[in-house]
Amino acid sequence: MEWSLETVRELVAGGMQSMRECESSAVGTAFCLLLLFVWYCYRVGREHSAPTLRGGYSADPGRGGGGGGGLLLSPEVGARGKARQVASVEEQNGFAYCQSPECFRCIHAGEGLNQRLYHSLQDYAKRYTWAGMGRVHKGVRDQGRYLSSRPSIQKPEVFFLPDLPSAPFFSREAQKHDVELLERSFPALLAEFESVYHHPPARSGSALPPGWKANSTPHGQWWTFYLVNQGTPLALNARRCPRAWRVLGQLRTFIANNVFGNACFSVLSPGAMITEHYGPTNVRLRCHLGLRVPSGCELVVGGEPQCWSEGSCLLFDDSFLHTAFHEGSAEDGPRVVFMVDLWHPNVAAAERQALDYIFTPGR
């Protein structure tokens, strides 16, 4: 082979062309691998989030979509099946008292419920995983024994998760982010309460504005205005409280997707007393943000009394025997709190996902 300047040029040009072809092929391969990785992440995300997704949070309660702070719900959810009937009763009848056999606040756990829970857990494990389910499996399997053997001071009426640290009251540090968010939202929540509380009654002869619910008490009056009732959003109420709804969407630990989750304004009239009772489970902490707190108001949980304070939160485990009362005078006005149910800080993420699946409203 004779070497010349022209030959060298041809060799260099051929080498550069080969390099360009190889580079193009490598880029194409890398791009395909990237697409496969994105597709894989999408599929895995859908599979792992499926048990908790029942809708989409939106700052506008009239629409689904978007995301916010772990609140995965939409008021439109209340328009499906059994949830639709519950929502319509709550929203249209201010004097509706709870008489539903499906109500998890009023249900008495029995063998039938325990079997349903066990079948639901098995179904969840088949679809997803048994990983991290030891404590939930133990609780579901031995639920009857746990509920019957609990001391009288703490006796959840529906579901008890074993080996969970318990105390009547918890420090604000247990859910610091959500407590601080609620306290910063105090002015907005108070303003929306005033708006819905002073609204004219829904119909002639009714003492309550639309959306309010009267609860049975031995003395005085106890009224609630639910945004989320046992995991079911109430669309009409949510539309009337867009700022409160937005706050719920920003909470990291709000129980939004199972029957143990509630959010409402709660009003006690002067002279009212709530009968001592137990909550349905120990997997949640109930949070009260004081909006209006006259003197003479007290919350007693597990025999320990505490007083609310305007603009501050109280965290307590309502699976303990508890009561509340307002011993002030008529001139003092009502005691008002904004109530939300948050996850117990020691319930792991995998357990929360399984419990959302097992206790989905209407399951």
Side-chain angles (χ1 to χ4, degrees):
M1 178 179 181
E2 294 184 4
W3 292 91
S4 66
L5 183 59
E6 190 64 31
T7 303
V8 172
R9 286 177 179 171
E10 290 176 0
L11 289 173
V12 170
M16 293 179 66
Q17 179 65 26
S18 299
M19 289 177 63
R20 280 197 294 268
E21 291 176 356
C22 290
E23 182 180 353
S24 176
S25 177
V27 169
T29 302
F31 183 69
C32 290
L33 289 173
L34 179 62
L35 285 178
L36 286 172
F37 177 72
V38 171
W39 175 82
Y40 171 77
C41 292
Y42 170 76
R43 288 297 302 272
V44 169
R46 277 178 61 89
E47 290 175 1
H48 283 279
S49 63
T52 59
L53 289 174
R54 298 195 302 111
Y57 172 75
S58 169
D60 175 2
R63 293 187 313 220
L71 178 56
L72 302 171
L73 50 82
S74 166
E76 271 73 12
V77 174
R80 294 203 303 262
K82 215 172 291 184
R84 180 176 184 177
Q85 298 172 2
V86 174
S88 64
V89 171
E90 296 287 358
E91 294 178 90
Q92 293 175 11
N93 183 357
F95 286 101
Y97 291 94
C98 179
Q99 297 175 336
S100 171
E102 300 296 328
C103 177
F104 270 76
R105 282 194 297 263
C106 307
I107 195 170
H108 294 287
E111 199 60 36
L113 175 62
N114 295 341
Q115 290 178 357
R116 270 174 32 211
L117 296 182
Y118 196 76
H119 291 324
S120 294
L121 178 60
Q122 287 182 318
D123 184 46
Y124 171 84
K126 288 177 184 177
R127 294 190 181 195
Y128 305 102
T129 179
W130 277 107
M133 292 300 104
R135 200 160 51 170
V136 176
H137 179 259
K138 182 180 176 183
V140 170
R141 183 189 61 203
D142 299 328
Q143 197 59 207
R145 179 169 62 85
Y146 285 129
L147 295 183
S148 62
S149 63
R150 294 298 303 164
S152 59
I153 193 172
Q154 185 193 25
K155 209 164 191 175
E157 296 183 334
V158 177
F159 180 76
F160 177 78
L161 186 65
D163 307 321
L164 202 60
S166 62
F169 288 95
F170 278 70
S171 163
R172 57 188 289 115
E173 300 298 317
Q175 296 295 4
K176 184 177 180 179
H177 172 274
D178 288 353
V179 165
E180 291 180 347
L181 174 62
L182 286 165
E183 291 178 350
R184 287 197 305 271
S185 305
F186 165 72
L189 293 171
L190 178 59
E192 288 199 329
F193 159 74
E194 297 287 357
S195 173
V196 297
Y197 185 67
H198 295 295
H199 195 279
R203 59 191 183 282
S204 60
S206 172
L208 288 177
W212 286 88
K213 176 179 180 290
N215 302 279
S216 179
T217 54
H219 306 290
Q221 302 293 329
W222 173 26
W223 303 311
T224 46
F225 184 91
Y226 280 94
L227 302 179
V228 179
N229 188 3
Q230 298 188 62
T232 299
L234 301 187
L236 297 182
N237 288 358
R239 288 192 187 101
R240 295 173 59 196
C241 299
R243 286 176 290 181
W245 186 259
R246 191 174 296 113
V247 169
L248 292 180
Q250 295 169 347
L251 296 175
R252 293 176 180 173
T253 61
F254 175 51
I255 302 178
N257 298 303
N258 72 53
V259 296
F260 300 134
N262 302 273
C264 71
F265 294 107
S266 176
V267 175
L268 272 185
S269 69
M273 181 184 72
I274 299 175
T275 304
E276 286 188 325
H277 62 287
Y278 303 97
T281 183
N282 66 328
V283 303
R284 74 185 187 189
L285 295 184
R286 179 148 283 185
C287 179
H288 281 184
L289 171 67
L291 298 181
R292 289 197 177 280
V293 186
S295 59
C297 299
E298 199 166 73
L299 171 68
V300 182
V301 183
E304 298 183 18
Q306 290 276 358
C307 294
W308 296 276
S309 177
E310 293 182 2
S312 298
C313 288
L314 272 182
L315 280 176
F316 64 98
D317 182 345
D318 73 327
S319 66
F320 283 80
L321 187 67
H322 63 284
T323 182
F325 52 85
H326 181 351
E327 293 183 333
S329 63
E331 292 76 21
D332 295 328
R335 180 238 59 177
V336 184
V337 299
F338 184 65
M339 184 199 84
V340 294
D341 289 323
L342 308 177
W343 284 105
H344 189 293
N346 293 92
V347 178
E351 294 173 322
R352 296 178 186 183
Q353 182 170 286
L355 292 171
D356 277 347
Y357 184 88
I358 295 170
F359 290 104
T360 297
R363 174 171 289 279

